[in-house]
Amino acid sequence: MSYVMPVLNEASHVRDAVASLLTQDYAGPFEVTLALGPSIDGTTELVEEMAAVDSRIRVVANEVGSTPAGLNTAIRASQYPIIIRVDAHSVLPADYARIAVETLERTGADNVGGIMDAQGVSPFEKAVARAYGTRIGLGGTPLHVGGPEGEAETVYLGCFRTESLFRVGLFDENIKRGQDWELNRRLRETGGSVWFTPRLKVLYRPRPSVSRLARQMLSTGLWRGELARRFPEANGIRYFIPPAMVLAVFLGTVAGLGGLVQLALAHTPWLLLGWVPPLGYLAIVLAATASRRDEFRTALRFLVVLPCIHFCWGIGFVLGYLTFTRNISAHTGR
């Protein structure tokens, strides 16, 4: 079995991620292939040091630096018939590989995956983790909130049959975010199956600041809008809810301000009805914040985190869907 992990500027997380692979209770032979991008934070020296002391760790160059290019480079360099994708922000429980391989063999699926179990350390990270794990945060898909075992649209990370990956042409390197969803789409369209099981739970460390979260959500939204435009038949209505909300709040605020002008001019202030969408959204955020008992610092940050996720993702979706970004890759990092 081969673990593949793209790595770029992950000095603070990659050691824990790799350590979780080396301590798996899977009984068969394995290798860890790290696709190293052009890092500037000490990641290069760190992964080379780990590879020097453990022959099971291999480092291959990912000169492009993007996630899909790194995944494909690592997959091509791997030797085993089963591939497990790993993220440098993730920590796998000790039984992950064993359960994943057992499920792959039991179901005959082409890809098996589970839940992205977001857990934070700081109050801000805890607020982000809570948003990820609630239906109002990221849409309530099984890979975020769980659900019954069975066939799925997509899953977090994934345990793949290597032959299935090569059958559909590996990851699309032109898609910088959402490449896992797009690959799973091709697997399903070519007669394969993607299987979700809640028994697979992967610890994920959220972004630690508003700026990094906003950049991540804008990037994800941009690419989701791009994918919705490229593959309209494969996208459910839930992907259009955040951009619709953003537009409703924006237009409602503009109309509401117009209503205040009408009121000042002694005209009938019918445009004040425009405040209904923004005030309704505010009520939803407040209700979501009050629905669980978090410590005060986490709850306070949740009031910022939830709109940050919704608005950055929604704005990104609109820009990506309408192709307002001529060079989308320039706005999305890797």
Side-chain angles (χ1 to χ4, degrees), residues 47-63:
V47 299
E48 288 177 349
E49 174 191 333
M50 290 190 293
V53 299
D54 195 321
S55 61
R56 296 170 297 181
I57 302 173
R58 304 174 59 199
V59 180
V60 294
N62 174 20
E63 296 179 359

Side-chain angles (χ1 to χ4, degrees), residues 295-307:
E295 63 178 22
F296 179 74
R297 292 186 303 168
T298 299
L300 197 62
R301 285 158 178 79
F302 189 78
L303 290 170
V304 176
V305 163
L306 200 58

Side-chain angles (χ1 to χ4, degrees), residues 174-185:
N174 293 315
I175 299 176
K176 301 300 187 295
R177 290 289 180 98
Q179 66 279 148
D180 49 354
W181 176 89
E182 194 280 329
L183 174 66
N184 287 322
R185 180 193 66 84

Side-chain angles (χ1 to χ4, degrees), residues 251-321:
L251 295 176
T253 301
V254 171
L257 292 173
L260 294 177
V261 173
Q262 288 178 323
L263 193 63
L265 297 175
H267 297 315
T268 303
W270 60 272
L271 285 175
L272 288 176
L273 291 173
W275 289 114
V276 172
L279 291 177
Y281 176 73
L282 177 61
I284 290 173
V285 172
L286 291 174
T289 303
S291 64
R292 287 179 57 182
R293 296 180 179 178
D294 290 321
E295 63 178 22
F296 179 74
R297 292 186 303 168
T298 299
L300 197 62
R301 285 158 178 79
F302 189 78
L303 290 170
V304 176
V305 163
L306 200 58
C308 178
I309 290 174
H310 290 163
F311 280 88
C312 292
W313 197 99
I315 291 170
F317 184 98
V318 172
L319 295 177
Y321 190 82

Side-chain angles (χ1 to χ4, degrees), residues 2-334:
S2 301
Y3 300 99
V4 298
M5 182 193 301
V7 181
L8 176 67
N9 293 326
E10 296 289 359
S12 59
H13 295 99
V14 67
R15 186 182 293 278
D16 288 342
V18 172
S20 74
L21 309 181
L22 301 178
T23 56
Q24 292 289 301
D25 62 13
Y26 176 73
F30 71 90
E31 63 183 350
V32 178
T33 305
L34 306 179
L36 178 62
S39 301
I40 59 174
D41 69 341
T43 298
T44 299
E45 294 78 10
L46 179 58
V47 299
E48 288 177 349
E49 174 191 333
M50 290 190 293
V53 299
D54 195 321
S55 61
R56 296 170 297 181
I57 302 173
R58 304 174 59 199
V59 180
V60 294
N62 174 20
E63 296 179 359
V64 175
S66 72
T67 296
L71 287 168
N72 287 345
T73 299
I75 291 168
R76 292 189 183 102
S78 298
Q79 59 177 314
Y80 293 113
I82 294 177
I83 296 285
I84 291 185
R85 176 186 174 176
V86 189
D87 189 281
H89 275 252
S90 62
V91 176
L92 271 59
D95 59 358
Y96 183 92
R98 174 174 52 81
I99 293 175
V101 173
E102 288 174 356
T103 306
L104 198 71
E105 294 175 346
R106 171 171 57 85
T107 62
D110 295 90
N111 180 20
V112 168
I115 300 172
M116 185 181 81
D117 183 23
Q119 295 184 25
V121 177
S122 69
F124 183 85
E125 291 172 352
K126 290 178 180 178
V128 177
R130 179 183 166 188
Y132 280 13
T134 59
R135 294 190 179 278
I136 194 174
L138 292 178
T141 55
L143 68 90
H144 291 298
V145 301
E149 181 172 349
E151 292 196 16
E153 178 184 6
T154 191
V155 292
Y156 182 54
L157 301 179
C159 174
F160 301 86
R161 299 180 189 275
T162 305
E163 61 181 4
S164 298
L165 288 172
F166 282 101
R167 187 188 79 233
V168 298
L170 302 182
F171 290 89
D172 187 334
E173 296 186 18
N174 293 315
I175 299 176
K176 301 300 187 295
R177 290 289 180 98
Q179 66 279 148
D180 49 354
W181 176 89
E182 194 280 329
L183 174 66
N184 287 322
R185 180 193 66 84
R186 279 183 281 133
L187 285 173
R188 290 184 286 105
E189 284 193 349
T190 55
S193 66
V194 178
W195 193 267
F196 169 81
T197 174
R199 295 178 65 199
L200 294 177
K201 224 175 199 183
V202 181
L203 175 63
Y204 175 84
R205 294 301 185 191
R207 297 301 191 269
S209 66
V210 172
S211 60
R212 293 183 65 179
L213 177 66
R215 187 169 183 267
Q216 179 193 24
M217 289 297 111
L218 180 65
S219 168
T220 304
L222 276 166
W223 279 103
R224 174 46 60 186
E226 174 79 3
L227 291 172
R229 182 170 47 80
R230 290 191 196 184
F231 312 107
E233 71 289 345
N235 288 271
I237 189 65
R238 64 185 177 85
Y239 293 116
F240 294 87
I241 294 177
M245 178 275 299
V246 168
L247 291 174
V249 170
F250 173 75
L251 295 176
T253 301
V254 171
L257 292 173
L260 294 177
V261 173
Q262 288 178 323
L263 193 63
L265 297 175
H267 297 315
T268 303
W270 60 272
L271 285 175
L272 288 176
L273 291 173
W275 289 114
V276 172
L279 291 177
Y281 176 73
L282 177 61
I284 290 173
V285 172
L286 291 174
T289 303
S291 64
R292 287 179 57 182
R293 296 180 179 178
D294 290 321
E295 63 178 22
F296 179 74
R297 292 186 303 168
T298 299
L300 197 62
R301 285 158 178 79
F302 189 78
L303 290 170
V304 176
V305 163
L306 200 58
C308 178
I309 290 174
H310 290 163
F311 280 88
C312 292
W313 197 99
I315 291 170
F317 184 98
V318 172
L319 295 177
Y321 190 82
L322 299 179
T323 63
F324 283 174
T325 49
R326 290 180 178 273
N327 182 7
I328 195 169
S329 299
H331 300 271
T332 59
R334 61 192 181 108

